[in-house]
Amino acid sequence: MSASSVSVPAAPFAATALGKVGVLLGGRSSERDVSLLSGAAVLRALRASGVGAHPFDPAQQSLAQLEAAAFDRVFLILHGRYGEDGAMQGVLETLRIPYTGSGVQASAIAIDKILTKRIWQAEGIPTPAWVRHDRGADAAPAAMPHAAPAPQLPSPLAQPDTDLVVKPASEGSTFGVTKVAAGDRAALDAALAEALRFDAHVLIEECIHGRELTCAVLGEGASARALPLVEIRAPGANYDYHNKYFSDATQYLCPAPLDEALARYISALCVRAYRAVGARGWGRIDVMLREAAGGAEPYLLEINTAPGMTDHSLVPMAARAAGLGFADLVLQILMDARVDIGMGAGA
């Protein structure tokens, strides 16, 4: 995506036109600490642009206080449950407060990695082979039937060369995620136990070895556009919580050093995936790129509908590569804030 294709607020921007803005940060999820960092960065950027922005932490302030604050719109930068899953979006719809990012339905879909993969498969979007495991079920599923577009795998334990990734279905920031070597039953059982600490539903997924990419998307529907791809090179190919947010050893290449045609193809896939779940405003899709005899094969892993905005975050990095500074990125997202329910019905 070129700099010329990114909309930037007009120079004489009237910050007061946005009214009283709440920045929803913190919250009750396992990603609270990251949300506080993201929220602080958004708050600084808005205030530096002249916007009357105020922090609001739902873990410390009540919904009655949210209503009493009389915000004209909010920048929702809560990560994970209670903020990125449709719960807070529903509250804001009820209070009729315009908010940033995806609506109730798209947020609820995107937080659920299993539901997201079902939709992507129905749309013909490549995603790693997988099987669902629920709390109380047998530890080892008999088959991995959901293997589109990859060939069906008869069993995660019967494939001597198929490593696995086990992750909670609706968790973020790599909490509860474990990589399991092919055929290691003991490690698989331990990984399931770890993931079940975070969620009653677990995704067991084929581990795709290759280059790790991410694609940020801005906008909605036909106007949705991808920002330049970012390649992530983490120590030991382990992009865990520490390497994601706090390590200076992780390398980020933006734009990712890819063949131009391949980069366009991956970006187009990500925009399709973003639209397929009904996302709007902004989001980020994680991708693995595996080298194959017929050429590189991208596999989409998951979508984040309220991505991080910390110093190490990827969406601001991609925006900078497209000529969009952090403050303008934040303003663009904020200006797209709205409610969905009752739109066009005089509500």
Side-chain angles (χ1 to χ4, degrees), residues 218-230:
L218 300 180
E220 178 181 12
S223 67
R225 297 291 183 270
L227 294 175
L229 297 172
V230 180

Side-chain angles (χ1 to χ4, degrees), residues 285-312:
I285 295 171
D286 298 329
V287 182
M288 290 302 299
L289 185 64
R290 178 164 64 189
E291 295 296 331
E297 300 174 339
Y299 291 84
L300 277 58
L301 303 182
E302 61 185 80
I303 178 170
N304 299 272
T305 53
M309 294 287 267
T310 71
D311 292 340
H312 284 68

Side-chain angles (χ1 to χ4, degrees), residues 4-342:
S4 61
S5 62
V6 179
S7 60
V8 180
F13 173 71
T16 54
L18 295 174
K20 183 181 180 182
V21 174
V23 177
L24 269 59
L25 75 174
R28 295 180 173 86
S29 81
S30 58
E31 298 180 76
R32 171 178 173 78
D33 290 345
V34 179
S35 175
L36 289 171
L37 292 173
S38 293
V42 168
L43 193 65
R44 286 193 300 270
L46 290 176
R47 287 176 170 174
S49 299
V51 177
H54 309 267
F56 188 95
D57 186 345
Q60 299 178 347
Q61 297 165 274
S62 70
L63 298 182
Q65 289 174 296
L66 177 60
E67 183 175 22
F71 293 128
D72 294 298
R73 62 182 66 205
V74 301
F75 195 111
L76 203 163
I77 194 64
L78 298 167
H79 303 319
R81 299 175 192 267
Y82 314 111
E84 199 173 351
D85 61 355
M88 185 55 69
Q89 288 80 358
V91 169
L92 295 168
E93 291 282 350
T94 302
L95 297 178
R96 311 307 291 159
I97 303 173
Y99 57 93
T100 58
S102 295
V104 176
Q105 178 173 284
S107 298
I109 290 171
I111 196 74
D112 186 333
K113 297 177 181 65
I114 293 170
L115 183 54
T116 297
K117 287 170 81 74
R118 290 187 187 279
I119 291 172
W120 285 352
Q121 284 180 243
E123 295 290 324
I125 295 168
T127 189
W130 64 280
V131 71
R132 169 176 170 163
H133 172 73
D134 297 323
R135 182 175 290 142
D138 293 337
M144 296 183 77
H146 307 290
Q152 288 196 351
L153 304 177
S155 166
L157 301 178
Q159 292 291 322
D161 58 350
T162 300
D163 297 333
L164 304 173
V165 180
V166 178
K167 59 183 77 171
S170 300
E171 196 58 70
S173 290
T174 67
F175 287 110
V177 176
T178 307
K179 292 182 179 180
V180 178
D184 191 337
R185 174 57 186 266
L188 176 59
D189 288 343
L192 288 170
E194 173 65 12
L196 288 168
R197 292 178 53 235
F198 295 86
D199 201 321
H201 309 292
V202 174
L203 176 67
I204 305 172
E205 184 177 63
E206 178 188 4
C207 181
I208 305 296
H209 296 288
R211 298 168 69 178
E212 188 164 1
L213 309 170
T214 196
C215 178
V217 181
L218 300 180
E220 178 181 12
S223 67
R225 297 291 183 270
L227 294 175
L229 297 172
V230 180
E231 181 172 358
I232 302 158
R233 296 181 181 176
N238 184 26
Y239 195 45
D240 60 8
Y241 185 80
H242 174 75
N243 287 334
K244 184 176 290 188
Y245 296 111
F246 303 108
S247 174
D248 291 327
T250 301
Q251 295 181 310
Y252 302 96
L253 289 72
C254 186
L258 297 170
D259 173 80
E260 186 175 344
L262 178 59
R264 285 198 304 268
Y265 173 64
I266 295 171
S267 295
L269 271 180
C270 290
V271 170
R272 279 181 56 204
Y274 177 92
R275 292 172 179 163
V277 300
R280 66 171 170 88
W282 64 318
R284 198 195 77 236
I285 295 171
D286 298 329
V287 182
M288 290 302 299
L289 185 64
R290 178 164 64 189
E291 295 296 331
E297 300 174 339
Y299 291 84
L300 277 58
L301 303 182
E302 61 185 80
I303 178 170
N304 299 272
T305 53
M309 294 287 267
T310 71
D311 292 340
H312 284 68
S313 293
L314 303 172
V315 175
M317 185 184 305
R320 285 195 300 272
L324 187 64
F326 187 80
D328 285 337
L329 171 66
V330 169
L331 287 172
Q332 180 172 322
I333 293 169
L334 182 61
M335 287 190 290
D336 287 340
R338 73 162 197 251
V339 292
D340 283 340
I341 299 173

